[in-house]
Amino acid sequence: MTHDHPAAADRAVPRPFGRLLTAMVTPFTADGSLDLDGAARLATYLVDEQANDALVISGTTGESPTTTDAEKERLLRAVVEAVGDRAQVVAGVGTNDTRHTIELAAAAEKAGAHGLLVVTPYYSKPPQAGLLRHFTAVADASGLPIMLYDIPHRAGVPIASETLVRLAEHERIVGVKDAKGDLAATSWVTSRTDLAFYSGEDSLTLPALAVGGVGLVGTSTHFTGALSKQLIEAYERGEHDTALLLHRRLLPLFTGIFRTQGTILVKAGLAASGLPAGPVRPPLVDATEAEVAQLRVDCADAGLELPA
């Protein structure tokens, strides 16, 4: 069942989490333990120097598969304390277990999160009825606004457009991190709902804005944040030529950060820049010298310098 709202296209879509969010890496110390001071410093840099309106903590980029529930809570508290007065902190709480997701959502709310990122249950490939029930159960159990995370190439199943339209009826389901890469589907949903669509792929930010998106949840934005924010704002002002120039400038890093798994190269780049990062946890592996050298080239091609 779908509900058409033709007037939705004419209304100003709300931006519940602002325009720019970064899915923040989780800094670790040299021995692989949680670096809470580093997390606070990195969050401060991302908000104060990279123009982020909000940060996503404990997303995949934050190595959520290999951090414990207790670590997630401590990390969230540290980031809320560091930047929560001037940026929203969105907690990644999605798992492939509805009960566990609800537990993580409750812990995040108690720890001061401003919103939740809830990914499609992965690996078990539930049908759409299962997705509807999962996301609704989490939204019913929490008092926080929720951003759904639609990423079929990781989760194994997409959130169907019809399912998104039905989920939009829930007062606390307010946004989507859209990494489906299907702009026609994005356009279909943004024309029928008030869901705030955030590009989940850095390189698709500009085209996503053109079909009704409101911003970006980025990975390369650890480095491209301020310029990505300028791109979004230029588009909104109707300065489409400027937005296109910024898109083309940043494209080498929008895509280059994913030459290997994104967390790996972000942490390598942060380390080279003297910012908190530390090693990755297995099964991820730290960047090779060749990968770091290529990252320097990609940064230079985007007009950004990665210190030698």
Side-chain angles (χ1 to χ4, degrees), residues 10-307:
D10 303 322
R11 292 196 296 268
V13 176
R15 295 175 182 81
F17 305 105
R19 292 169 174 81
L20 178 70
L21 304 85
T22 291
M24 192 179 99
V25 298
T26 300
F28 298 129
T29 59
D31 68 359
S33 57
L34 199 59
D35 179 4
L36 293 177
D37 289 341
R41 280 177 26 233
L42 180 58
T44 300
Y45 156 80
L46 288 171
V47 171
D48 295 349
E49 296 185 43
Q50 290 292 352
N52 281 275
D53 300 308
L55 300 176
V56 174
I57 306 303
S58 294
T60 313
T61 307
E63 296 178 76
S64 58
T66 54
T67 57
T68 66
D69 291 3
E71 285 177 324
K72 287 177 175 65
E73 186 174 341
R74 288 163 57 212
L75 174 68
L76 179 59
R77 288 184 185 277
V79 173
V80 169
E81 185 177 344
V83 300
D85 59 338
R86 59 195 187 280
Q88 293 193 67
V89 182
V90 179
V93 298
T95 72
N96 57 358
D97 173 0
T98 303
R99 184 172 50 186
H100 187 202
T101 301
I102 289 171
E103 289 170 358
L104 289 173
E109 187 168 2
K110 189 175 176 183
H114 303 107
L116 304 174
L117 179 72
V118 185
V119 72
T120 314
Y122 38 84
Y123 191 73
S124 47
K125 299 181 80 169
Q128 293 300 311
L131 298 187
L132 190 66
R133 191 168 168 186
H134 172 82
F135 290 124
T136 301
V138 178
D140 283 346
S142 176
L144 294 176
I146 287 172
M147 182 188 294
L148 306 175
Y149 187 7
D150 187 11
I151 182 162
H153 63 273
R154 281 188 191 266
V157 293
I159 310 174
S161 296
E162 294 82 358
T163 306
L164 286 167
V165 170
R166 290 183 65 182
L167 288 166
E169 297 171 9
H170 199 293
E171 62 180 352
R172 282 184 293 282
I173 296 176
V174 298
V176 179
K177 180 182 177 184
D178 179 18
K180 191 181 288 175
D182 182 348
L183 290 167
T186 301
S187 182
W188 195 89
V189 178
T190 58
S191 72
R192 286 164 171 79
T193 73
D194 287 330
L195 287 172
F197 266 69
Y198 293 85
S199 178
E201 296 186 46
D202 302 26
S203 62
L204 292 184
T205 304
L206 182 56
L209 293 171
V211 297
V214 302
L216 167 65
V217 181
T219 303
S220 74
T221 46
H222 285 82
F223 313 105
T224 66
L227 290 168
S228 297
K229 182 80 164 285
Q230 288 178 31
L231 184 163
I232 296 163
E233 291 175 340
Y235 182 86
E236 290 188 345
R237 287 193 303 267
E239 297 169 9
H240 298 165
D241 288 350
T242 301
L244 182 57
L245 284 171
L246 284 164
H247 165 79
R248 287 173 172 163
R249 172 184 167 177
L250 295 173
L251 197 57
L253 199 51
F254 279 169
T255 56
I257 205 74
F258 300 109
R259 287 180 187 273
T260 183
Q261 203 271 359
T263 307
I264 294 170
L265 289 181
V266 169
K267 283 197 160 181
L270 291 172
S273 304
L275 288 161
V280 295
R281 285 181 175 174
L284 298 184
V285 290
D286 291 315
T288 64
E289 285 184 20
E291 287 169 338
V292 176
Q294 181 62 57
L295 179 61
R296 284 205 171 84
V297 172
D298 292 335
C299 284
D301 287 346
L304 298 167
E305 184 185 357
L306 198 63

